[in-house]
Amino acid sequence: VQLQASGGGLVQAGGSLRLSCAASGRTFINYAMGWFRQAPGKEREFVTFITWSGGRTYSADSVKGRFFISRDNANNTVYLQMNSLKPEDTAVYYCAARYGSTFPPNNIPYWGKGTLVTVSS
């Protein structure tokens, strides 16, 4: 499956952004989808994922209540709505996919190119 993320940019602290990830090449509905991020000088970290049906999501504690993942299976797209952004959210955000209903962060086969989110203070 091919993934293309978009929507990154520069935003002030407290602001919002919505990232999109368009998928192609396989049956989108069979894949759990998620987002990771990598801040400058840090390791990549898990942010959130959503099951194929959209019925279950799971997010890292650092973004709970601020970031929300959703998916549109008819349009093969997953979204990441980011609210109340903080400077520490500055990172390259990566869309990722895994066949099935689980999403173990150390076993994700499909990755998109990242999109940069910069939050100014």
Side-chain angles (χ1 to χ4, degrees):
V1 60
Q2 290 79 48
L3 304 172
Q4 179 65 52
S6 61
L10 174 64
V11 63
Q12 289 187 335
S16 298
L17 273 179
R18 189 177 79 157
L19 305 183
S20 300
C21 176
S24 62
R26 298 288 178 94
T27 305
F28 180 71
I29 198 170
N30 291 332
Y31 289 77
M33 302 293 298
W35 293 90
F36 290 74
R37 67 185 182 186
Q38 186 167 18
K42 295 187 177 181
E43 293 187 353
R44 186 167 58 194
E45 64 174 356
F46 167 78
V47 176
T48 185
F49 94 95
I50 187 168
T51 55
W52 67 270
S53 67
R56 184 166 63 94
T57 65
Y58 183 81
S59 298
D61 288 343
S62 59
V63 305
K64 279 182 181 176
R66 299 189 299 121
F67 290 14
F68 301 94
I69 188 171
S70 61
R71 64 190 293 162
D72 179 350
N73 287 338
N75 290 298
N76 292 356
T77 303
V78 64
Y79 302 98
L80 180 63
Q81 178 66 44
M82 304 185 294
N83 301 325
S84 302
L85 282 160
K86 305 174 182 180
E88 51 263 44
D89 294 320
T90 294
V92 176
Y93 284 72
Y94 297 91
C95 177
R98 187 176 188 271
Y99 185 88
S101 59
T102 61
F103 204 76
N106 60 349
N107 189 15
I108 304 299
Y110 301 105
W111 296 87
K113 293 183 179 180
T115 184
L116 177 62
V117 173
T118 303
V119 184
S120 63
S121 57

